[in-house]
Amino acid sequence: GAGVSQSPSNKVTEKGKDVELRCDPISGHTALYWYRQSLGQGLEFLIYFQGNSAPDKSGLPSDRFSAERTGGSVSTLTIQRTQQEDSAVYLCASSRTSGVDFTEQYFGPGTRLTVT
Amino acid sequence: AQSVTQLDSHVSVSEGTPVLLRCNYSSSYSPSLFWYVQHPNKGLQLLLKYTSAATLVKGINGFEAEFKKSETSFHLTKPSAHMSDAAEYFCAQNTGGFKTIFGAGTRLFVKA
């Protein structure tokens, strides 16, 4: 596709349930990033993928959060046993890994997660 | 630790007047600096970037930013605000590698 896509756009879930958020990066972008944006806050880095491996998981807030990427393309962020403090917009971005523009990240529209 | 500081959480201007959104970055030998804009319920869109070429960077929609190493600043400006500029703006820094640090954001209000 032309840009980064994310699904679902909105997700309402009950506390304690598991959720999966999906990201489809721009074709050919080997780097993929997940961020969390809470109300009135900046972007909180969660995890970064280079291909299918995640050299930097330092931002994952707890062991309830995990992410994977398959085929160097689609990524899934999973939150287990959701808590109300997980409510936020989850943004995905992708970038190239070589060339002058490799640090420029292209963002998807985000998934708004509400935990009730 | 590296950090990006956006000095104003909110800025309000009248339509047709200049815009100034302030950003200070962590001192680094050769930073890459970015400004992104986020309209409501949208993802972030790149406005402009600095990658050690010209210190005055021009971006989309009439925005520009000036890299000042002595002040570790990368302020975003626009000569004349338009109603459609109302949005959240994020300054970001990359110092090599794949991790980009974002500021907390500045919400721009434009009054008619």
Side-chain angles (χ1 to χ4, degrees):
Chain A
V4 178
S5 61
Q6 293 185 246
S7 60
S9 55
N10 281 284
K11 176 71 176 180
V12 180
T13 189
E14 293 180 356
K15 178 181 173 181
K17 295 285 181 67
D18 298 352
V19 294
E20 285 189 353
L21 312 180
R22 176 187 168 108
C23 172
D24 281 272
I26 291 173
S27 178
H29 281 191
T30 57
L32 186 147
Y33 314 77
W34 283 98
Y35 296 90
R36 180 167 70 176
Q37 185 177 26
S38 301
L39 187 63
Q41 303 294 314
L43 273 69
E44 176 188 4
F45 170 80
L46 297 178
I47 189 170
Y48 147 69
F49 286 92
Q50 174 58 37
N52 291 334
S53 64
D56 191 344
K57 303 179 183 179
S58 62
L60 292 178
S62 75
D63 59 7
R64 296 186 295 105
F65 287 72
S66 63
E68 65 175 12
R69 189 178 184 193
T70 55
S73 180
V74 172
S75 176
T76 302
L77 177 68
T78 301
I79 309 173
Q80 296 178 311
R81 306 181 302 282
T82 53
Q83 303 294 313
Q84 288 187 329
E85 61 262 28
D86 299 333
S87 296
V89 175
Y90 290 82
L91 292 167
C92 175
S94 69
S95 69
R96 301 184 188 92
T97 55
S98 63
V100 67
D101 292 332
F102 87 97
T103 55
E104 179 176 338
Q105 296 180 27
Y106 295 79
F107 283 81
T111 293
R112 181 175 298 277
L113 175 65
T114 303
V115 181
T116 61
Chain B
Q2 293 163 7
S3 65
V4 174
T5 303
Q6 292 185 240
L7 297 159
D8 306 291
S9 59
H10 299 83
V11 170
S12 181
V13 300
S14 297
E15 191 174 22
T17 64
V19 175
L20 170 64
L21 305 183
R22 298 183 293 167
C23 173
N24 286 105
Y25 65 92
S26 293
S27 178
S28 172
Y29 178 71
S30 182
S32 294
L33 298 166
F34 308 84
W35 275 100
Y36 286 86
V37 61
Q38 185 181 32
H39 290 278
N41 300 315
K42 302 284 188 182
L44 276 69
Q45 178 187 14
L46 183 69
L47 275 178
L48 51 81
K49 63 181 178 182
Y50 167 79
T51 54
S52 74
T55 56
L56 182 63
V57 182
K58 294 188 183 297
I60 62 172
N61 300 336
F63 284 94
E64 60 183 38
E66 186 172 7
F67 172 71
K68 291 187 176 180
K69 186 173 182 177
S70 61
E71 299 176 9
T72 61
S73 70
F74 190 58
H75 300 336
L76 181 71
T77 60
K78 182 173 180 177
S80 177
H82 191 273
M83 296 297 290
S84 61
D85 295 328
E88 185 99 22
Y89 291 81
F90 293 93
C91 181
Q93 175 183 6
N94 181 288
T95 56
F98 296 97
K99 194 166 183 177
T100 298
I101 307 298
F102 287 81
T106 298
R107 182 163 295 279
L108 176 65
F109 297 93
V110 182
K111 299 174 290 186

